[in-house]
Amino acid sequence: MDQIKELPKTYDPHAVEEPLYKWWEENGYFKPETQVAMGQSSWEAPTFTIGMPPPNVTGALHIGHAMTATVEDIMTRYHRMRGDLTLWVPGSDHAGIATQAVVERRLADEGLTRHDLGREKFVERVWQWKEHYHRRITDQHRRLGVSVDWERERFTMDEGLSRAVLTAFIRLYNKGLIYRDDYLVNWCPRCLSVISDLEVEHHEEQGALWYVRYPLVPEGGELSDAPWGSPDWGKGATEWITVATTRPETILGDTAVAVHPGDERYTHLIGRVALLPGVSRPIPIIADAAVEREFGTGAVKVTPGHDPTDYAIGQRHGLPIISIMNRDATINQEGGPYAGLDRYEARQRLVADLEKAGLLVKKQEHTLSVGHCHRCGTVIEPLISTQWFVKMKPLAEPAIAAVRDGRIRIVPEHFEKIYFHWMENVRDWVISRQLWWGHRIPVWYGPDSHPFAAFDAPEAHEQARQHYGHEVELRQDEDVLDTWFSSGLWPFSILGWPDDTEDLRTFYPNSVLETGYDIIFFWVARMIFMGLEMMGDIPFHTVYLHGLIRDELGRKYSKSLGNALDPMQVIEDVGTDALRFTLMTSSTPGVDTKLSEKALVAGRNFMNKLWNIGRFTLNSLPDKIPAVDPEQFTLADRWILSRTDDLTESVTRLFEAYQFGEAGRQIRDFLWDEFADWYVEMSKIRLQGSDAEAKATAQAVLATVLERALRLLHPFAPFITETLWQRLPHEGATIMLAPWPTPAGWQDETAEREMNLVRELIRDIRNARSEYNVEPSRRIAAIVSADAHETFIRSQAPIIEMLARVDGAQFTITRSLAEPPAQAVSLVIGEGILAYLPLAGLIDLDKERERLTKEVADTQAEIERTTALLNKPGFADKAPANVVQGARDKLAAAQERHQKLTERLTSLA
């Protein structure tokens, strides 16, 4: 690599990232074939396979995509360095409803609809959109540093995946697992398509309950046949039954009134007939246990064509199903005088008419959960529609077993309960969509509507000839398949299925499915049952679920809230490595992440710190580092090498447990705190000295530790680690194919214990200097009573003098002191080590006494004021509890400070 000859003083990620990524890609370092060719892996090695969750081709990547890309790249780079034969397949999703909606909005700006273009031309227009945004998405993924095999990239509507969709549909159809039927579905009046239960978002909204009287037909008599709206409508009724409804317009579709069979208030009315307001339809009063006696009046209207619960009641009682709405949510001819009105306009008109007729008893406020289309936000309408469904029970059972018996592991584990609950209560999956963009359902109908499932029209015609005995005209189903149908095949379709490809044999099952927990049902569950059904094996052994990214207030990032966070802009501001590192170290599996600007700046600062560490180390190294005799290692060398082994062991364990955030935090703390702030500073003594052998040892340890730490950090921050690693002594062409570090046998408990004593001594002296406001450049006197550690402390005196700014001429180290010095700061280090800092060397004693005397007096005055407030009659009883507690806390803090100040003043007497 020839990216940067010399390291500039400051790190500029923009000078590094794009050329470096291009170099990786051009050399094929992301491909498993390259791993084998370079001897870093073999075709017999364990495999690591992951399929990128395909982003929708509806626009740019958002911050959630950046999280997904980061987590998956961390896994991929880790396993590649471990020597596993590694494949990460990228791709994108055609996103049926979402993409079609976006393109239709663009057409609307031109004054056109898709029907103006026709199906073929409209689909051409969508393909143009796809090509434009697909390029944008792939470019953005490259900027995120993803090490995917771009030559294997897939799209859910490319030729291979389209054939996979046809194969899966026909197999399920031929097994009787796909069927077509009339059923109550969730309909979006804006998208003009059915959507699944999972695509309905429920929001609590303030609505109302309208109480409406239905006149009862007299037993043995009849009611006036006057039309609705006339003064004589319902004339002759002497009894009424009152129902409560949140959707008055659906009264027009009622086919019964239901009461609970045990409700004594209505037992005598069961079997009677009521006259339906609005359309004058006679409907029966029935008994059904699904009725909640406590809701409203205990009597409910039954509208099987517009409510799931009512649909089930209707099925049990054989009630007719009447749909009163068109697909655009306007009232159809079944709505009588309200036909042609929008559903909400019809509501207003009907309520006004009910009130005029004296049938509206009352209206009261009521909070209800309203379903919305998760694509466009429109209130969904339950409608009876002819749709294609997948029978879920036969598919769900083996999918449940695969998780329950441990063949598939879900991380975090608590999501297994959610998975089981949904799968055990799953309803049949409606897979048809009333769209033009997507995989068209591969079914053709004959003159008598007999269906023929086939790969193409010629095959369908051949089936028809065999069925009818002669040529007939066929028409293909107009609908397309739910986008999640093709996505459910992703783990094996991306590897060439239904063909028996080398990739499929080598890389299936996948290793990990990584995605957000919010699509565990949309996608994860469907991949599991599709993999088991089509491949006869699980699609992956682990499901890793990350949390959602939220802002500092805990809100989801969204354009509507005005807080949308563009990852490309973040990269411009802080660099890719800083974004990736911050995303991971701010997160925990399955838990939502609050991402703040402060955290991103901290991520950038860490990259700058690492750059400075790298520059210092590189500038300290000779052209060739000589071999080093371990006998020459100092305590500092043995300590940092031991800590490097500890870190390697810990980070590897955390990676295997999918605790990437904690792994990143430990690497950062090691590099910044232990390596940079301690070892690098300690090494300067030898680097600046005249002992060539000691200098060479320090140089070798610096290079060794940094090189290993860079390999550990590489999955998180690939660009800066590659740039620095290339300048260090190393083997191999790229850090991404360098072996993952393993413990080198450097662990040394004695060195770590002894160095911790030295560090604690230095830290305590530094803290004392800070507490007494000693100028940083000023050296101070120190006396150390080291007990049995006298010889050891003497050996570390140069380090203590340098890092604690102790004056060597006034640095006394002894085994014990007959009497502690007067007027000195006392420090208890541990293991019998005590340190004393003469105050005369730290401060001006007269000025310090004067300052402390004033502070003691001020604190005493504060204590007296607060005590008087608390003792004031009525204060503790009348003041707000938080105010009283605040005063008590203030008093306790002042008393504690007063005691410490008094003790310090006494010590100066």
Side-chain angles (χ1 to χ4, degrees):
M1 187 191 76
D2 189 26
Q3 301 307 116
I4 298 179
K5 290 291 186 182
E6 298 294 333
L7 294 181
K9 289 185 178 181
T10 57
Y11 178 53
D12 179 7
H14 305 305
V16 170
E17 293 173 354
E18 292 192 52
L20 186 50
Y21 191 91
K22 183 179 179 182
W23 179 75
W24 285 331
E25 193 175 348
E26 287 175 347
N27 283 277
Y29 292 144
F30 304 152
K31 299 177 64 61
E33 289 83 357
T34 303
Q35 279 186 274
V36 175
M38 298 182 72
Q40 198 265 355
S41 189
S42 71
W43 294 110
E44 291 72 38
T47 60
F48 179 80
T49 316
I50 191 167
M52 175 186 288
N56 296 342
V57 287
T58 50
L61 298 181
H62 54 65
I63 197 67
H65 291 120
M67 171 64 92
T68 296
T70 299
V71 176
E72 292 177 15
D73 197 43
I74 283 174
M75 293 183 189
T76 301
R77 290 178 185 269
Y78 167 71
H79 282 277
R80 190 183 287 121
M81 295 174 78
R82 289 296 297 264
D84 297 336
L85 190 63
T86 302
L87 174 62
W88 184 13
V89 181
S92 51
D93 194 294
H94 65 280
I97 289 179
T99 303
Q100 178 159 321
V102 170
V103 176
E104 286 199 80
R105 284 198 294 271
R106 297 297 182 275
L107 286 176
D109 293 339
E110 302 173 28
L112 298 172
T113 69
R114 60 175 160 138
H115 300 284
D116 294 328
L117 295 183
R119 186 167 192 145
E120 184 177 344
K121 292 293 183 182
F122 175 76
V123 171
E124 286 180 10
R125 182 72 73 94
V126 183
W127 272 105
Q128 292 171 9
W129 171 273
K130 177 265 175 189
E131 292 302 325
H132 173 75
Y133 279 97
H134 174 256
R135 286 193 299 271
R136 183 177 178 182
I137 288 170
T138 55
D139 288 345
Q140 290 177 337
H141 266 128
R142 285 180 167 91
R143 291 204 66 188
L144 286 165
V146 297
S147 58
V148 298
D149 187 345
W150 287 111
E151 292 182 14
R152 286 177 165 92
E153 184 183 8
R154 306 309 298 265
F155 175 57
T156 49
M157 282 183 63
D158 67 28
E159 183 179 350
L161 268 67
S162 294
R163 193 157 56 86
V165 168
L166 294 176
T167 301
F169 182 95
I170 291 169
R171 284 192 186 180
L172 293 172
Y173 179 85
N174 291 338
K175 287 186 69 171
L177 293 175
I178 286 182
Y179 65 96
R180 190 170 185 248
D181 201 358
D182 293 336
Y183 198 76
L184 189 73
V185 298
N186 303 301
W187 184 267
C188 175
R190 180 174 177 181
C191 296
L192 294 179
S193 177
V194 63
I195 60 175
S196 72
D197 292 344
L198 295 175
E199 294 168 308
V200 178
E201 293 182 350
H202 290 273
H203 308 301
E204 283 203 346
E205 297 181 1
Q206 190 60 45
L209 267 178
W210 285 267
Y211 289 77
V212 181
R213 296 196 308 166
Y214 292 7
L216 300 183
V217 176
E219 292 185 283
E222 58 183 28
L223 294 179
S224 167
D225 59 359
W228 170 249
S230 71
D232 291 334
W233 187 90
K235 189 175 181 180
T238 58
E239 298 175 274
W240 290 264
I241 189 167
T242 301
V243 302
T245 179
T246 60
R247 303 177 67 212
E249 67 278 11
T250 61
I251 286 174
L252 305 172
D254 287 1
T255 55
V257 172
V259 298
H260 193 277
D263 193 335
E264 297 180 354
R265 293 174 296 173
Y266 299 111
T267 306
H268 65 290
L269 297 182
I270 296 172
R272 297 279 299 275
V273 175
L275 188 63
L276 188 64
V279 289
S280 304
R281 181 186 306 125
I283 57 174
I285 298 175
I286 62 174
D288 194 280
V291 175
E292 297 179 23
R293 283 181 275 194
E294 296 76 19
F295 178 78
T297 65
V300 298
K301 55 190 287 302
V302 182
T303 320
H306 292 278
D307 183 88
T309 302
D310 293 2
Y311 179 84
I313 293 174
Q315 294 294 101
R316 288 194 289 272
H317 295 270
L319 299 176
I321 299 173
I322 298 174
S323 180
I324 62 165
M325 286 191 198
N326 299 310
R327 295 302 185 241
D328 61 356
T330 57
I331 306 300
N332 62 25
Q333 294 306 310
E334 294 288 352
Y338 306 95
L341 298 177
D342 170 78
R343 53 182 167 173
Y344 299 121
E345 187 180 356
R347 173 185 296 181
Q348 292 178 348
R349 186 84 61 85
L350 179 58
V351 167
D353 291 344
L354 290 169
E355 188 171 19
K356 184 178 178 181
L359 298 177
L360 183 63
V361 178
K362 65 178 178 177
K363 174 187 175 182
Q364 66 182 37
E365 289 188 354
H366 179 71
T367 301
L368 62 159
S369 179
V370 180
H372 296 73
C373 173
H374 87 125
R375 291 295 182 191
C376 69
T378 302
V379 175
I380 62 101
E381 188 64 50
L383 292 179
I384 296 294
S385 181
T386 303
Q387 303 290 340
W388 287 95
F389 295 86
V390 173
K391 291 181 181 178
M392 283 304 304
K393 187 175 181 180
L395 296 173
E397 289 175 350
I400 292 169
V403 175
R404 201 175 293 283
D405 63 24
R407 281 175 289 156
I408 296 176
R409 173 192 177 197
I410 297 179
V411 179
E413 188 176 346
H414 67 263
F415 281 102
E416 289 184 3
K417 294 180 180 179
I418 300 172
Y419 171 85
F420 290 138
H421 181 266
W422 186 76
M423 291 292 278
E424 288 166 354
N425 296 279
V426 70
R427 296 170 58 184
D428 285 357
W429 172 20
V430 55
I431 57 171
S432 47
R433 298 291 183 269
Q434 288 62 56
L435 305 171
W436 286 355
W437 172 244
H439 298 100
R440 195 166 176 181
I441 289 176
V443 173
W444 284 257
Y445 302 100
D448 57 355
S449 297
H450 185 86
F452 301 96
F455 281 92
D456 52 30
E459 183 182 345
H461 278 283
E462 178 58 33
Q463 292 182 28
R465 275 193 295 272
Q466 294 180 17
H467 177 78
Y468 294 111
H470 56 83
E471 291 283 351
V472 296
E473 186 175 336
L474 299 178
R475 60 179 178 84
Q476 187 176 356
D477 197 298
E478 290 289 324
D479 292 349
V480 301
L481 287 166
D482 177 11
T483 300
W484 297 105
F485 190 93
S486 54
S487 300
L489 311 176
W490 192 250
F492 45 95
S493 63
I494 59 175
L495 300 175
W497 185 87
D499 295 335
D500 182 22
T501 65
E502 187 68 31
D503 274 2
L504 192 63
R505 290 193 296 272
T506 304
F507 295 108
Y508 190 87
N510 296 182
S511 303
V512 178
L513 181 279
E514 188 283 330
T515 190
Y517 67 74
D518 54 328
I519 58 172
I520 188 171
F521 311 127
F522 282 104
W523 192 38
V524 178
R526 286 165 177 165
M527 282 188 287
I528 293 174
F529 66 68
M530 283 292 201
L532 290 166
E533 176 65 23
M534 299 299 158
M535 294 294 297
D537 197 358
I538 58 172
F540 29 71
H541 62 68
T542 301
V543 176
Y544 175 97
L545 301 172
H546 67 251
L548 304 179
I549 310 296
R550 300 183 180 274
D551 67 12
E552 293 179 75
L553 299 177
R555 304 174 303 175
K556 291 177 70 173
Y557 282 107
S558 70
K559 291 181 180 179
S560 61
L561 290 176
N563 66 340
L565 188 63
D566 179 2
M568 298 303 111
Q569 184 57 54
V570 176
I571 288 173
E572 287 295 322
D573 295 340
V574 302
T576 300
D577 289 330
L579 170 61
R580 290 168 54 120
F581 188 80
T582 304
L583 284 171
M584 287 314 305
T585 54
S586 300
S587 69
T588 302
V591 178
D592 289 353
T593 297
K594 289 184 179 180
L595 186 63
S596 67
E597 183 178 346
K598 182 179 179 181
L600 289 166
V601 170
R604 181 191 61 194
N605 292 343
F606 173 56
M607 296 307 145
N608 291 334
K609 181 70 173 182
L610 177 60
W611 186 257
N612 292 332
I613 295 169
R615 286 188 71 251
F616 172 83
T617 301
L618 290 168
N619 291 336
S620 303
L621 301 182
D623 292 336
K624 184 177 181 181
I625 298 177
V628 175
D629 181 0
E631 294 295 326
Q632 300 297 319
F633 287 160
T634 64
L635 171 62
D637 297 331
R638 291 188 293 114
W639 168 71
I640 198 64
L641 290 171
S642 180
R643 292 297 300 130
T644 303
D645 260 10
D646 292 343
L647 178 72
T648 300
E649 189 175 81
S650 179
V651 168
T652 302
R653 174 178 52 79
L654 290 166
F655 262 80
E656 292 298 321
Y658 298 94
Q659 294 293 332
F660 307 117
E662 178 58 23
R665 291 187 286 271
Q666 289 191 10
I667 297 169
R668 176 194 59 204
D669 293 346
F670 170 83
L671 278 167
W672 196 317
D673 181 18
E674 295 178 307
F675 186 59
D677 289 354
W678 288 98
Y679 183 77
V680 166
E681 293 302 314
M682 290 186 283
S683 72
K684 290 178 181 178
I685 298 173
R686 285 177 289 166
L687 293 174
Q688 296 165 4
S690 58
D691 188 331
E693 193 170 30
K695 182 176 183 179
T697 301
Q699 291 169 332
V701 174
L702 278 169
T704 298
V705 172
L706 180 58
E707 192 274 339
R708 280 180 163 259
L710 289 175
R711 279 187 277 153
L712 292 174
L713 183 62
H714 176 70
F716 298 91
F719 294 107
I720 193 171
T721 53
E722 180 78 91
T723 304
L724 293 173
W725 186 85
Q726 289 291 340
R727 295 294 306 279
L728 286 167
H730 65 266
E731 295 182 1
T734 172
I735 191 173
M736 76 169 62
L737 294 180
W740 182 256
T742 55
W746 295 328
Q747 286 171 317
D748 188 330
E749 291 183 8
T750 300
E752 292 197 34
R753 179 178 57 80
E754 291 180 343
M755 182 52 70
N756 285 340
L757 289 174
V758 174
R759 292 168 69 205
E760 186 178 353
L761 174 58
I762 293 170
R763 269 197 299 262
D764 285 359
I765 294 174
R766 285 174 169 176
N767 290 339
R769 292 175 60 103
S770 176
E771 187 176 352
Y772 285 94
N773 297 312
V774 180
E775 294 178 5
S777 61
R778 181 180 174 187
R779 292 188 175 274
I780 63 173
I783 302 168
V784 175
S785 172
D787 196 25
H789 298 287
E790 179 189 0
T791 302
F792 159 63
I793 293 295
R794 287 187 184 280
S795 71
Q796 303 305 311
I799 291 175
I800 298 168
E801 290 172 15
M802 177 183 176
L803 299 185
R805 305 296 293 169
V806 171
D807 185 347
Q810 301 182 71
F811 188 14
T812 303
I813 302 172
T814 182
R815 177 173 290 271
S816 62
L817 287 173
E819 185 177 341
Q823 293 188 338
V825 176
S826 300
L827 306 174
V828 179
I829 309 305
E831 295 194 25
I833 300 176
L834 302 172
Y836 303 94
L837 308 180
L839 288 172
L842 290 176
I843 56 175
D844 183 317
L845 292 177
D846 289 337
K847 286 185 178 180
E848 184 66 8
R849 290 189 192 97
E850 183 180 346
R851 184 183 70 82
L852 288 174
T853 300
K854 184 178 184 305
E855 285 199 37
V856 167
D858 291 344
T859 308
Q860 179 61 39
E862 184 177 344
I863 291 172
E864 292 171 359
R865 285 194 302 271
T866 309
T867 301
L869 176 64
L870 287 169
N871 291 334
K872 186 177 180 180
F875 174 76
D877 298 325
K878 297 178 181 179
N882 63 317
V883 174
V884 175
Q885 187 59 48
R888 288 171 178 163
D889 293 342
K890 183 179 180 181
L891 175 61
Q895 289 171 335
E896 182 180 358
R897 177 168 173 74
H898 185 271
Q899 180 182 348
K900 289 181 178 180
L901 289 169
T902 301
E903 289 173 356
R904 186 181 296 180
L905 182 60
T906 302
S907 70
L908 300 181

